Amino acid sequence: IYSICSVFMAKTTHIAIVSGPGFSHLVPIVEFSKRLIKLHPNFHVNCIIPSFGSPSESSKAYLKTLPSNIDTILLPPINKQQLPQGVNPAVTITLSLPSIHEALKSLSSKFPLTALVADTFAFPTLEFAKEFNALSYFYTPCSAMVLSLALHMPKLDEEVSGEYKDLTEPIKLQGCVPLLGVDLPAPTQNRSSEAYKSFLERAKAIATADGIIINTFLEMESGAIRALEEYENGKIRLYPVGPITQKGSRDEVDESGKCLSWLDKQPPCSVLYVSFGSGGTLSQNQINELASGLELSGQRFLWVLRAPSNSVNAAYLEAEKEDPLKFLPSGFLERTKEKGLVVPSWAPQVQVLSHNSVGGFLSHCGWNSTLESVQEGVPIIAWPLFAEQRMNAVMLTDGLKVALRTKFNGDGIVEKEEIARVIKCLMEGEEGKGIRERKMNLKDFSANALKDGSSTQTLSQLARHWENSSEV
């Protein structure tokens, strides 16, 4: 009786989180909050959400599903006229700082805030933590390898002259697979750009927080995590709590039933799922090559197609206005109707990856998609487009050996012959079998980390630390 009473009498610990702009940054930090309150119900989370436009339909629908002890504060959208060409998410945060400060001030007038947790793009908001007597934490929705690079970046900036892409020797981060300069994140590829300056600024700010919560798990990145824990003699308090991904039931996410009912009719492990995430887009030329490559491979496929753009992340910035299917090569849908299904813009990815007919995933290697593929044991064809996706591709192919990587030609295009080759290799080749076995082992490790293993124990340590701090 005493233990039951003590649960109900436990003091509520309030934390505030600040999301980065865009669905792919909102989901990881909110899913972290959901996991926190599921394991520790005495926490209450206040989620502050900046944006550079009205929330997308997917964001609105997602926010409606949140439990009662997560409150959301949607900030007034930024005026798009204020934004420079090619939106840098950090700019959105900078312009939202007065609104974020006002929201925190309002919250702290009602109850003490124990901690302020900010997405990496929202790093400037952590300056407010001291003002409201809260601890400051980064939530990084990226890999430990990317975090290692960020912490190493100020030193690298001093040591290297010229552009990183011109380096002849690989960069060796402790505990990580060697990395070529061309595979560093997109913001670092032009050192005179505002994006690079922002990346450096963020890298320097990370080390000043009270702790870093990271969406990865020990068994997947043990070398990088151990090296980070020893960084500057344990200066950084690191909390690997992943894999944290979005879950949903089959019924609630695929109202049309089209994707999943089509998959139901396909043989086990026979379908290649093709998707470039919530923001990735291809040029018209590349769409033509991908269509031809899929046809040439002779494999079954489910392709989430977007209208073409010459900007690789166009879907982040603008809602789709045109029917993507009209951009396919003439006759493609008719010729492949027995083998493939093309769906416009969106598919219920977690449910697709968990379907027993899916045997491979042609992916941009965004970290959310990477972790979802890990949890479902689906091997990857790595086709990175932007952000830190090339780094993720290197880790998956060279480090974990659970992916094959596409080769781009001199014009930055993956040609149809290369596409067909890599698909056949993954779906029916000997190399593909080995990759599949290693990915299934990683799936087991990820399940154990979340069941009662490393990630659950780490999250409990963090929750206890916050509870103890709120009592002081």
Side-chain angles (χ1 to χ4, degrees):
I1 291 170
Y2 173 76
S3 62
I4 293 171
C5 290
S6 64
V7 169
F8 286 107
M9 291 170 66
K11 182 184 165 192
T12 301
T13 302
H14 292 271
I15 68 166
I17 64 171
V18 184
S19 161
F23 193 62
S24 65
H25 281 263
L26 173 66
V27 170
I29 200 165
V30 172
E31 289 297 322
F32 160 74
S33 305
K34 284 163 69 174
R35 182 149 174 79
L36 172 69
I37 62 169
K38 183 181 177 186
L39 296 174
H40 305 277
N42 56 310
F43 276 80
H44 191 100
V45 177
N46 302 275
C47 179
I48 301 168
I49 306 167
S51 70
F52 44 67
S54 298
S56 65
E57 289 307 311
S58 54
S59 295
K60 286 180 195 168
Y62 174 65
L63 293 172
K64 281 179 186 170
T65 67
L66 298 183
S68 59
N69 43 353
I70 299 181
D71 289 333
T72 56
I73 303 167
L74 286 167
L75 297 182
I78 295 303
N79 181 345
K80 287 192 178 179
Q81 273 73 47
Q82 292 179 274
L83 294 170
Q85 193 67 31
V87 179
N88 178 345
V91 176
T92 307
I93 294 293
T94 303
L95 294 171
S96 299
L97 283 175
S99 301
I100 294 168
H101 184 268
E102 198 54 43
L104 289 169
K105 189 176 175 183
S106 174
L107 290 172
S108 65
S109 69
K110 298 169 191 166
F111 40 72
L113 282 174
T114 297
L116 175 59
V117 183
D119 174 85
T120 44
F121 277 124
F123 73 91
T125 63
L126 291 186
E127 291 176 10
F128 300 142
K130 281 192 176 66
E131 182 183 341
F132 300 111
N133 297 314
L135 296 167
S136 61
Y137 288 79
F138 274 98
Y139 180 86
T140 174
C142 302
S143 67
M145 185 176 178
V146 170
L147 177 59
S148 297
L149 175 74
L151 290 169
H152 190 63
M153 208 70 215
K155 187 179 176 192
L156 205 61
D157 182 63
E158 289 175 7
E159 291 175 347
V160 176
S161 58
E163 296 292 349
Y164 300 116
K165 62 177 180 277
D166 298 327
L167 290 173
T168 53
E169 290 294 312
I171 296 161
K172 291 175 181 171
L173 302 167
Q174 210 166 356
C176 302
V177 67
L179 192 64
L180 295 173
V182 291
D183 287 323
L184 293 186
T188 68
Q189 295 300 331
N190 176 2
R191 293 179 71 179
S192 61
S193 69
E194 284 303 314
Y196 178 65
K197 288 170 193 163
S198 178
F199 189 90
L200 255 186
E201 194 184 343
R202 191 161 75 243
K204 289 171 184 171
I206 286 173
T208 65
D210 291 308
I212 303 171
I213 304 159
I214 185 164
N215 191 6
T216 188
F217 59 103
L218 185 60
E219 293 78 5
M220 184 171 177
E221 296 193 84
S222 56
I225 289 170
R226 295 295 185 222
L228 283 166
E229 286 172 341
E230 292 164 14
Y231 176 80
E232 291 192 12
N233 298 318
K235 179 183 171 185
I236 283 183
R237 298 183 80 162
L238 190 70
Y239 299 92
V241 295
I244 290 172
T245 56
Q246 186 185 0
K247 296 292 182 186
S249 74
R250 174 169 177 150
D251 297 332
E252 75 187 20
V253 293
D254 189 23
E255 291 168 15
S256 68
K258 191 175 182 183
C259 293
L260 301 178
S261 57
W262 182 81
L263 287 171
D264 288 341
K265 297 170 188 155
Q266 311 307 316
C269 276
S270 67
V271 176
L272 178 73
Y273 172 56
V274 182
S275 175
F276 294 92
S278 59
T281 41
L282 303 177
S283 66
Q284 181 64 70
N285 187 4
Q286 186 62 84
I287 286 173
N288 295 343
E289 290 292 322
L290 178 50
S292 300
L294 287 166
E295 195 173 347
L296 198 58
S297 76
Q299 302 294 315
R300 287 177 170 82
F301 63 87
L302 168 59
W303 182 5
V304 182
L305 178 67
R306 287 208 176 87
S309 170
N310 290 324
S311 170
V312 290
N313 60 349
Y316 272 131
L317 312 181
E318 295 292 340
E320 199 122 44
K321 295 182 181 71
E322 296 185 271
D323 175 14
L325 303 190
K326 74 179 189 184
F327 296 97
L328 287 166
S330 177
F332 174 77
L333 290 175
E334 182 61 29
R335 291 193 304 273
T336 59
K337 64 183 180 185
E338 301 301 322
K339 288 267 182 161
L341 175 67
V342 184
V343 295
S345 306
W346 184 86
Q349 181 159 294
V350 174
Q351 285 65 37
V352 168
L353 289 173
S354 64
H355 200 286
N356 72 347
S357 69
V358 172
F361 182 14
L362 194 159
S363 171
H364 65 311
C365 299
W367 194 240
N368 291 344
S369 291
T370 296
L371 291 179
E372 285 164 5
S373 79
V374 165
Q375 287 189 282
E376 301 303 339
V378 180
I380 280 181
I381 292 172
W383 187 320
L385 295 177
F386 59 94
E388 86 296 354
Q389 293 161 14
R390 285 183 175 80
M391 280 187 75
N392 296 340
V394 171
M395 183 214 293
L396 292 168
T397 52
D398 301 352
L400 294 166
K401 301 191 187 320
V402 293
L404 295 171
R405 189 166 175 181
T406 52
K407 293 184 176 72
F408 291 77
N409 70 12
D411 297 322
I413 294 288
V414 186
E415 296 172 345
K416 61 187 176 187
E417 295 83 4
E418 164 67 4
I419 293 165
R421 179 195 70 79
V422 78
I423 290 172
K424 282 198 259 194
C425 184
L426 185 78
M427 299 300 285
E428 54 184 39
E430 281 304 308
E431 192 177 0
K433 283 181 190 169
I435 285 171
R436 188 164 281 104
E437 283 171 20
R438 287 188 287 277
K439 199 64 179 279
M440 290 305 288
N441 289 337
L442 201 53
K443 175 185 177 178
D444 292 340
F445 284 131
S446 75
N448 291 336
L450 290 180
K451 190 179 176 186
D452 48 20
S454 59
S455 293
T456 301
Q457 290 167 19
T458 299
L459 186 54
S460 293
Q461 284 170 16
L462 179 60
R464 278 197 301 272
H465 179 56
W466 282 346
E467 284 165 346
N468 293 340
S469 299
S470 69
E471 289 166 9
V472 174

